[in-house]
C-alpha cells in the first residue's frame, strides 16, 4: 500500500488555474480549471500580471469546489503537489504560496513538480472515460508540444528523461498562435486554426517544412511563422476571409508534417514501439488523426491523452507529484518558483552556424 494514496494538486504556471485530486494509481477523482482566455484576448497574448491576479481570485474557490465534488475534506488527503517550474514567475508564486500554506495548515507534505514532467506522464492518468492501454509502460518516445515547448524525449522511467531534440527557436504552439493572430482569428490561435482548417485545402499554399530532411531530432518553426505572415500580406479583407480555411489547413499541415517526421525518426532511431503525444498542441485534430494512421501503418502503440489532460491541467501535476512523494521525495517551505527550468539539456544540430550555437548554448 503506497504511503500517499491521494493528494491535491495545483497548476498555475501560465494562464490556467487548475486543481485536481489524484490517487497513487493515477485515477483522477476530480479536476477543475478556470481559463482566462477572455481576460487576455484584447492584448493578443498572455499578460503575466493579469494572469497572476486571476490566479489569486480563482485558486482557493477552486480548491474548495474540487474537494466538494470529490466528497473529500483536507483531512482525507495525504499531501499536496504544485507546479514550481517552469512558467511565469508571478503565476507560479500564487500556486506555490497556496500549496505551502495548505501544507503548513494541515501538517501534510508537499512536492514541487516540473510542469513538463506533468505533460510527459499525462498518458498514465485514468478516469471514468479514459484508461491508457493495459500494456502501456516505460520506455516510450514522447513528443511534448505546447505554447512554450516542442521537445522529443525518450522516457525510460520516472525521472529518467532523455532529451532527444527540441526547437531551436519557436514552439509549435507559438507558431499556431502567431498565425491565428495574423489571420485575424484572435487568441489563442491554435484551436481556432484547427477549427477553421477543417474545410480547407492542405495543399493550396506551400509553407516550409524546416529541417525535415536533416539528420537530427530538432525543430525550427520561426521560418514557418514568418512565411505565415508573408502569405497574408497584400490580401484584402475579403480575399483573406475567402482564403482562410485553405490558409489554415495548409499552415497546419506544415506543422503536422514536421512533427510526425521527427517523431518517426526518433522511433526508428531508438527502436521503440510506443509513442506519446502530449501538451496543448496534441489537442490538434489533424495531428491526432494523422498520428493515428502513422502509428497503425508502422505497428506502433500511440497513446494520446484526452484533450483535458493534454492542455494544462492539475491532474498531470498530481500524478507526477504522487509518484515522487511515494518515492520518498518532498519539498521544503523554502522552495521557490523557477521560471526557466528545462527537463535536461538538448543536443544541438551539428550544422548550426557558430553564432547561433553560441546564442543557444
Ligand atoms: O500545454 P498548453 O496548454 O500550455 C503550455 O504549457 O504552453 O499548450 C498551449 C498551446 C497554445 O499554443 C495553443 O494554441 C495550443 O496549445 N493548442 C492548439 C490546439 N489546442 C491548444 N494548437 C493547435 N490545435 C489545437 N486544437
Ligand atoms: Zn503546458
Amino acid at each position: 500500500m503506497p504511503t500517499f494514496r491521494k493528494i491535491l494538486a495545483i497548476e498555475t504556471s501560465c494562464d490556467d488555474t487548475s486543481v485536481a485530486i489524484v490517487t497513487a494509481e493515477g485515477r483522477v477523482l476530480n479536476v477543475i480549471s478556470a481559463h482566462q482566455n477572455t481576460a487576455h484576448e484584447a492584448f493578443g497574448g498572455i499578460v503575466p500580471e493579469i494572469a497572476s491576479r486571476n490566479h489569486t481570485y480563482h485558486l482557493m474557490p477552486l480548491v474548495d469546489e474540487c474537494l466538494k465534488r470529490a466528497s473529500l475534506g483536507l483531512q482525507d488527503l495525504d499531501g499536496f503537489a504544485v507546479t514550481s517550474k517552469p512558467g511565469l514567475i508571478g503565476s507560479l508564486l500564487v500556486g506555490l504560496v497556496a500549496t505551502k500554506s495548505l501544507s503548513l495548515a494541515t501538517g501534510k507534505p508537499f512536492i514541487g513538480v516540473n510542469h513538463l514532467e506533468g505533460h510527459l506522464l499525462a498518458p498514465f492518468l485514468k478516469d471514468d472515460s479514459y484508461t491508457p492501454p493495459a500494456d502501456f509502460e516505460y520506455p516510450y518516445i514522447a513528443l511534448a508540444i505546447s505554447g512554450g515547448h516542442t521537445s522529443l524525449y525518450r522516457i525510460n522511467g520516472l525521472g529518467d528523461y532523455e532529451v532527444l531534440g527540441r526547437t531551436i527557436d519557436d514552439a509549435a504552439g507559438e507558431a499556431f498562435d502567431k498565425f491565428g493572430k495574423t489571420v485575424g482569428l484572435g487568441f489563442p490561435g491554435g484551436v481556432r486554426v484547427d477549427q477553421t482548417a477543417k474545410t480547407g485545402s492542405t495543399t493550396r499554399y506551400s509553407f516550409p517544412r524546416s529541417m525535415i530532411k536533416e539528420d537530427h531530432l530538432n525543430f525550427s518553426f520561426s521560418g514557418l511563422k514568418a512565411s505565415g505572415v508573408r502569405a497574408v500580406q497584400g490580401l484584402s479583407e475579403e480575399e483573406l476571409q475567402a482564403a482562410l480555411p485553405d490558409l489554415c489547413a495548409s499552415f497546419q499541415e506544415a506543422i503536422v508534417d514536421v512533427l510526425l517526421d521527427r517523431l518517426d525518426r526518433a522511433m526508428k532511431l531508438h527502436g521503440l514501439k510506443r509513442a506519446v503525444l502530449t501538451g496543448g498542441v496534441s489537442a490538434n485534430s489533424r495531428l491526432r488523426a494523422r498520428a493515428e494512421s502513422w502509428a497503425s501503418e508502422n505497428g506502433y502503440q500511440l497513446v494520446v491523452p484526452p484533450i483535458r489532460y493534454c492542455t494544462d491541467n492539475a491532474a498531470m501535476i498530481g500524478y507526477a507529484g504522487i509518484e515522487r512523494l511515494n518515492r520518498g521525495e518532498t519539498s521544503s517551505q523554502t522552495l521557490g518558483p523557477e521560471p526557466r527550468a528545462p527537463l535536461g539539456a538538448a543536443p544541438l544540430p551539428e550544422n548550426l552556424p557558430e553564432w547561433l550555437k553560441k546564442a543557444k548554448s
Side-chain angles (χ1 to χ4, degrees):
M1 176 79 93
T3 316
F4 291 85
R5 284 154 307 152
K6 53 175 113 58
I7 62 166
L8 182 137
I10 291 177
E11 152 66 38
T12 61
S13 65
C14 193
D15 62 332
D16 293 323
T17 321
S18 184
V19 179
I21 299 168
V22 179
T23 71
E25 294 73 41
R27 180 154 286 278
V28 183
L29 300 185
N30 194 257
V31 57
I32 181 165
S33 306
H35 306 287
Q36 305 182 11
N37 291 343
T38 45
H40 301 278
E41 183 156 16
F43 303 94
I46 294 162
V47 182
E49 178 61 22
I50 295 177
S52 32
R53 275 171 197 240
N54 278 321
H55 288 311
T56 63
Y57 297 139
H58 293 140
L59 184 54
M60 292 321 287
L62 285 182
V63 169
D64 286 341
E65 188 60 26
C66 188
L67 285 164
K68 198 167 120 199
R69 290 187 186 186
S71 305
L72 295 169
L74 286 175
Q75 72 282 357
D76 300 313
L77 304 170
D78 300 314
F80 303 93
V82 61
T83 306
S84 61
K85 58 188 177 183
L88 301 171
I89 191 156
S91 293
L92 289 167
L93 258 176
V94 178
L96 205 49
V97 168
T99 308
K100 286 184 190 179
S101 309
L102 286 166
S103 170
L104 268 182
T106 57
K108 294 172 186 180
F110 84 98
I111 183 132
V113 170
N114 187 310
H115 179 84
L116 281 170
E117 181 171 46
H119 277 304
L120 295 177
L121 302 186
F124 288 108
L125 292 170
K126 305 172 186 71
D127 60 26
D128 290 346
S129 47
Y130 169 73
T131 314
D135 58 345
F136 176 68
E137 246 311 326
Y138 304 115
Y140 55 89
I141 299 287
L143 178 56
I145 9 172
S146 69
H149 304 273
T150 303
S151 304
L152 263 170
Y153 291 88
R154 180 188 165 117
I155 312 293
N156 297 314
L158 178 72
D160 184 356
Y161 314 128
E162 234 176 286
V163 189
L164 307 178
R166 59 163 183 190
T167 178
I168 63 158
D169 41 52
D170 301 320
E174 214 174 323
F176 266 118
D177 291 340
K178 170 78 179 173
F179 184 72
K181 201 165 145 183
T182 305
V183 299
L185 288 172
F187 172 85
V191 66
R192 297 178 189 179
V193 172
D194 184 353
Q195 280 156 2
T196 313
K198 285 191 196 300
T199 53
S201 151
T202 54
T203 51
R204 174 161 165 208
Y205 292 91
S206 157
F207 287 109
R209 274 82 168 146
S210 300
M211 294 180 159
I212 204 161
K213 296 273 185 292
E214 293 177 20
D215 191 18
H216 54 74
L217 296 170
N218 293 297
F219 304 84
S220 166
F221 292 105
S222 63
L224 174 64
K225 216 168 84 172
S227 148
V229 173
R230 277 197 305 275
V232 300
Q233 270 166 0
L235 292 184
S236 70
E237 188 50 35
E238 217 169 291
E239 287 166 334
L240 176 62
Q241 287 315 315
L244 207 49
D246 292 346
L247 279 166
C248 288
S250 303
F251 186 85
Q252 176 175 268
E253 203 68 6
I255 296 189
V256 173
D257 276 351
V258 171
L259 293 175
L260 290 182
D261 173 80
R262 304 279 102 174
L263 179 59
D264 184 65
R265 186 177 289 260
M267 296 291 284
K268 301 215 157 95
L269 221 65
H270 285 259
L272 293 183
K273 293 273 178 206
R274 263 180 231 117
V276 163
L277 297 183
T278 184
V281 177
S282 52
N284 184 267
S285 60
R286 180 73 179 159
L287 174 63
R288 290 170 95 95
R290 284 202 41 210
E292 289 292 347
S293 321
W294 161 81
S296 68
E297 275 159 26
N298 286 279
Y300 294 148
Q301 180 183 59
L302 174 73
V303 180
V304 192
I307 292 176
R308 61 189 173 282
Y309 301 140
C310 282
T311 51
D312 287 353
N313 68 88
M316 65 185 194
I317 303 303
Y319 182 67
I322 202 162
E323 284 278 287
R324 286 191 172 272
L325 285 165
N326 277 323
R327 229 168 56 163
E329 297 175 30
T330 52
S331 297
S332 81
Q333 285 287 333
T334 57
L335 181 72
E338 280 178 64
R340 291 175 70 83
L343 265 190
L348 283 169
E350 294 292 312
N351 55 353
L352 275 188
E354 280 308 312
W355 64 269
L356 188 52
K357 273 191 197 163
K358 273 197 202 112
K360 295 277 161 196
S361 61

